[in-house]
Amino acid sequence: MKYYIVIPAHNEQDLIGLTLQSLVTQTVLPTKVVVVNDNSTDKTEEVVLSFAKENPYISVVNKNSDAIHMPGSKVIQAFQKGYETLDSNYDIIVKIDGDLIFPPNYFETIIKHFESDPRIGMAGGFCYIDKNGEWVLENLTDKDHIRGALKAYRKETYQQIGGLRPAMGWDTVDELLCKYYDWKIVTDESLHVKHLKPTGANYNKTARYKQGEAFYTLGYGFWITAIASAKLAMMKKKPFLFLDYIRGFWKAKKAKTPLLVTREQAKFIRNYRLKKMKEKLI
């Protein structure tokens, strides 16, 4: 199976080389790697070009955008710019961040998962962060969720879910739509990926209400949003974030912010979320 990778990158000169080095030493190499240099003011482009000289399947695309790091929209707009430069002659499309180090067998293992069952639509490993010299699981989500930093999609799945949404919540709605269309999602605990910059490290203060807005646009409704907000605030060990998330939800509702899904999909999502919550209580 052929896989293409798109890497949105903003000021990643210190880390993108480590990511690319881990890609060029994969046991099964990617057919194409596109790095989208998104408004970088450092030497990100130069680092990528030095790899492209030795590895002709690597290319760089330059994009001008706002320097503010808002979660979701900026990164997916950059991804889309890279994706548009690719042909459709792939089996798996991969979106990764420019601050990861993959084990050499990562994509060989991911391909094996996709080959094992034609209904597997998404697959991924787990992100680990450095804590006092030890690599520990970046424990922000459930074990059945693939982190936004390393998403791999079967082509047919990617097309059926309508690609990625340029909004916060994109890396949740993709999985919920997978479930809606009856695709399977596989997470592999044996695949440990080093995440060099913890998630959300660069988000500015205006981003803090965005999580609640994301819950609204996923069609969660208030009670599921409240439960999900409480859980996330506890996982981040910042209980006051709960209030920000709830405010974000009501702000989005008041503004009649468009949902990322159809009414029918939103109903499915609420039922699915409630079912998962009940399973955890039993």
Side-chain angles (χ1 to χ4, degrees):
M1 294 181 90
K2 285 164 72 171
Y3 69 100
Y4 291 177
I5 299 176
V6 180
I7 311 175
H10 172 70
N11 287 347
E12 295 284 13
Q13 66 174 19
D14 298 331
L15 304 176
I16 191 81
L18 298 169
T19 301
L20 292 174
Q21 186 57 41
S22 75
L23 295 180
V24 302
T25 51
Q26 287 294 306
T27 50
V28 177
L29 289 172
T31 306
K32 292 186 180 181
V33 177
V34 179
V35 179
V36 183
N37 178 35
D38 187 9
N39 216 48
S40 295
T41 52
D42 65 0
K43 293 180 176 166
T44 296
E45 185 183 12
E46 289 171 44
V47 176
V48 178
L49 289 173
S50 69
F51 273 87
K53 268 184 202 164
E54 304 292 319
N55 306 277
Y57 54 87
I58 296 175
S59 62
V60 66
V61 175
N62 288 306
K63 181 181 189 299
N64 293 320
S65 74
D66 208 330
I68 296 170
H69 187 179
M70 288 298 278
S73 57
K74 181 177 160 70
V75 73
I76 296 306
Q77 283 164 7
F79 170 84
Q80 198 57 36
K81 175 107 178 175
Y83 180 75
E84 284 164 9
T85 69
L86 295 167
D87 56 56
S88 59
N89 193 23
Y90 64 87
D91 303 294
I92 301 163
I93 185 72
V94 183
K95 179 257 166 219
I96 64 169
D97 288 353
D99 60 351
L100 303 172
I101 299 176
F102 292 91
N105 69 331
Y106 185 87
F107 286 102
E108 181 184 355
T109 309
I110 291 293
I111 288 167
K112 280 177 182 164
H113 283 301
F114 281 113
E115 287 176 339
S116 72
D117 183 346
R119 289 310 298 168
I120 290 174
M122 292 176 64
F126 286 85
C127 289
Y128 281 69
I129 53 171
D130 183 3
K131 274 210 172 159
N132 308 318
E134 254 188 271
W135 290 96
V136 297
L137 181 66
E138 191 176 18
N139 189 23
L140 290 174
T141 51
D142 294 338
K143 291 277 178 75
D144 59 357
H145 170 67
I146 301 168
R147 299 294 303 283
L150 35 66
K151 296 278 196 174
Y153 307 85
R154 188 183 295 275
K155 179 164 75 172
E156 294 79 7
T157 308
Y158 182 81
Q159 291 171 341
Q160 190 168 27
I161 67 172
L164 306 183
R165 312 292 198 272
M168 190 171 181
W170 71 268
D171 59 339
T172 301
V173 75
D174 61 345
E175 294 187 7
L176 292 168
L177 289 176
C178 264
K179 304 277 185 194
Y180 178 78
Y181 290 112
D182 206 27
W183 292 99
K184 295 175 186 172
I185 297 166
V186 169
T187 55
D188 188 329
E189 291 192 55
S190 75
L191 295 174
H192 294 197
V193 179
K194 292 177 177 175
H195 197 188
L196 303 172
K197 272 194 313 202
T199 299
N202 291 336
Y203 292 166
N204 66 10
K205 283 180 183 171
T206 58
R208 65 187 187 177
Y209 299 123
K210 284 283 175 185
Q211 185 66 62
E213 183 182 308
F215 289 149
Y216 174 80
T217 59
L218 290 167
Y220 277 16
F222 177 72
W223 291 111
I224 296 174
T225 293
I227 295 163
S229 296
K231 181 184 167 187
L232 190 58
M234 283 191 295
M235 279 177 119
K236 290 188 174 183
K237 296 182 178 155
K238 292 180 180 176
F240 287 108
L241 280 177
F242 171 78
L243 298 174
D244 289 339
Y245 298 158
I246 296 298
R247 281 191 197 108
F249 173 87
W250 286 115
K251 271 175 77 173
K253 189 173 171 70
K254 196 176 171 187
K256 295 186 174 157
T257 306
L259 299 189
L260 296 176
V261 291
T262 66
R263 205 170 278 185
E264 190 186 331
Q265 289 166 346
K267 188 180 174 187
F268 168 86
I269 287 166
R270 282 193 297 278
N271 289 337
Y272 174 76
R273 278 284 183 242
L274 284 169
K275 181 169 152 257
K276 293 288 281 182
M277 286 170 180
K278 281 175 188 165
E279 281 170 11
K280 283 176 184 173
L281 290 171
I282 293 165

